[in-house]
Amino acid sequence: MNLSDDVIAALALRTREKAGARFVLGIVGPPGAGKSTLAERLRDVLNESGDVAVVAPMDGFHRSNAELDAMGARARKGEPDTFDAEAYVAALRRVRVGRVEWPTFSRVTDEPVPGGVVIEDEPIVITEGNYLLLEEGPWKDVRGLLDEVWFVDVPDDVLVPRLLERFLAGGRSREEAEAKIASSDLRNAALVRATRDRADLVL
């Protein structure tokens, strides 16, 4: 994901034009596509004229490693059931009515961080994650809580090096990282790409 400043400015203008009392924008795509980078750049451009936008990442709803160990799902971390989708949906509902302490995710500790960001009265909330358009389980309620959704994608030959760098920086060995990418992340990417037709805009 490498959008020019002009494109980011155009996306910010599109968002401002649609924003009302509170506009909730979803940015979705496979792991490593650049969702977080886009969300943060968009927030920064929007906030050049004041604090109007905040990023509320879906990653804050990762289940803890202790929960995943109890589920026998630690090796599958990042797949749909390894997130607390019910809590994510509930948080999106609360965003509509007021102040929310929103969890974030630390790549240092590999754990969610409660209250990592506080959503106050910002009129624009940007939430980003893999499964915003998924139509199974509690995920199916997410789309109806978003005013607009953008799908961000890059080919696998770009995703894989990004994911490898991320895992190596997080302390995994190259063998562990390559196994995780092959067994889980590329499968997740295919699952997410199957939802792109439900997006309002594809980048």
Side-chain angles (χ1 to χ4, degrees):
M1 186 68 186
N2 187 22
L3 297 180
S4 69
D5 290 343
D6 287 344
V7 172
I8 294 292
L11 292 172
L13 178 60
R14 175 189 176 102
T15 305
R16 285 193 187 97
E17 290 175 343
K18 292 175 178 290
R22 174 151 279 176
F23 180 78
V24 184
L25 169 66
I27 298 179
V28 61
K35 302 179 295 297
S36 299
T37 300
L38 173 58
E40 290 165 6
R41 289 182 66 194
L42 181 63
R43 175 201 60 201
D44 292 345
V45 171
L46 288 166
N47 286 347
E48 286 175 357
S49 57
D51 292 333
V52 300
V54 61
V55 175
M58 189 199 86
D59 272 0
F61 295 88
H62 270 288
R63 297 187 188 277
S64 70
N65 288 332
E67 288 181 272
L68 295 177
D69 287 340
M71 294 166 57
R74 182 80 166 267
R76 299 190 296 103
K77 189 168 187 172
E79 296 185 13
D81 67 321
T82 66
F83 290 86
D84 189 344
E86 293 91 344
Y88 179 58
V89 169
L92 285 174
R93 295 189 194 282
R94 291 197 302 276
V95 158
R96 291 293 181 181
V97 297
R99 183 180 186 275
V100 178
E101 293 188 4
W102 191 282
T104 54
F105 184 78
S106 170
R107 295 199 182 279
V108 175
T109 64
D110 198 38
E111 294 278 10
V113 180
V117 64
V118 178
I119 301 170
E120 300 277 5
D121 56 358
E122 297 89 352
I124 300 170
V125 176
I126 305 166
T127 187
E128 53 85 12
N130 297 342
Y131 305 121
L132 278 54
L133 296 177
L134 206 59
E135 293 186 281
E136 60 184 49
W139 296 107
K140 68 182 183 300
D141 295 327
V142 173
R143 181 62 184 91
L145 297 170
L146 306 175
D147 294 299
E148 185 161 299
V149 180
W150 302 348
F151 193 100
V152 177
D153 202 5
V154 294
D156 284 350
D157 62 357
V158 175
L159 287 183
V160 171
R162 287 182 181 177
L163 291 170
L164 182 60
E165 181 180 359
R166 177 186 297 177
F167 290 138
L168 292 176
R172 294 178 189 254
S173 69
R174 177 171 290 272
E175 183 179 5
E176 289 171 333
E178 290 176 345
K180 176 71 166 58
I181 292 167
S183 66
S184 181
D185 288 292
L186 291 180
R187 186 170 67 247
N188 292 344
L191 176 65
V192 173
R193 286 191 179 111
T195 70
R196 65 182 285 165
D197 290 345
R198 302 185 68 212
D200 298 289
L201 179 67
V202 177
L203 299 168

